[in-house]
Amino acid sequence: MKKFDTVDNYYILAFAYRVYNAKWQNIILNLDNDVEEEKLSRICFQLMYAMDSYYEKGLISLTAISDYEIYKSAYSYTLDLLKKNQSNLIWTNSALEKFASELHEKILAFENL
């Protein structure tokens, strides 16, 4: 299988979605906190909408989650993919490393505001 040398910005949303969906599923399984469950469901649905409309509208601002939190989640997920070093990924390791570096720069820019 040919691996891609770049990671499309769409995956900022997709990776953030994976992180928040896992948190949401954990809350649902533990029957814990209804307020947190509602918050996470709102975040997940907004991220899904943003993913569905990404190629038409680009990255859009969401109300349930900040851009900073999206970048942090996507960065965390990317680092996890690199750590696991899975051979079944569609990207080269260097593409994921570059993507992680770009996300880290965006996070630092937010932190330095």
Side-chain angles (χ1 to χ4, degrees):
M1 175 175 86
K2 181 180 177 342
K3 294 188 178 249
F4 295 100
D5 293 326
T6 59
V7 181
D8 190 275
N9 281 339
Y10 167 85
Y11 289 96
I12 294 171
L13 298 169
F15 290 176
Y17 173 78
R18 295 290 302 258
V19 169
Y20 280 93
N21 189 52
K23 290 179 183 180
W24 183 27
Q25 297 306 316
N26 190 35
I27 293 283
I28 290 171
L29 290 174
N30 293 324
L31 301 172
D32 279 355
N33 186 336
D34 289 340
V35 173
E36 187 69 14
E37 180 181 342
E38 183 179 328
K39 175 185 166 194
L40 290 171
S41 71
R42 198 169 49 252
I43 289 169
C44 287
F45 285 118
Q46 284 191 9
L47 285 168
M48 281 190 294
Y49 170 75
M51 288 186 305
D52 286 345
S53 62
Y54 173 78
Y55 288 108
E56 182 181 315
K57 300 178 182 178
L59 286 174
I60 59 174
S61 293
L62 304 176
T63 57
I65 184 173
S66 69
D67 290 346
Y68 175 71
E69 291 299 323
I70 291 172
Y71 289 130
K72 278 184 20 181
S73 299
Y75 178 67
S76 168
Y77 192 82
T78 305
L79 291 180
D80 194 43
L81 289 176
L82 284 165
K83 187 173 82 174
K84 290 179 181 173
N85 199 16
Q86 298 173 341
S87 62
N88 61 344
L89 296 176
I90 62 172
W91 308 282
T92 62
N93 269 355
S94 63
L96 286 172
E97 289 168 354
K98 183 176 182 238
F99 189 62
S101 176
E102 291 169 1
L103 290 169
H104 189 252
E105 287 176 20
K106 291 177 182 186
I107 291 167
L108 290 176
F110 273 106
E111 291 176 346
N112 290 327
L113 288 179

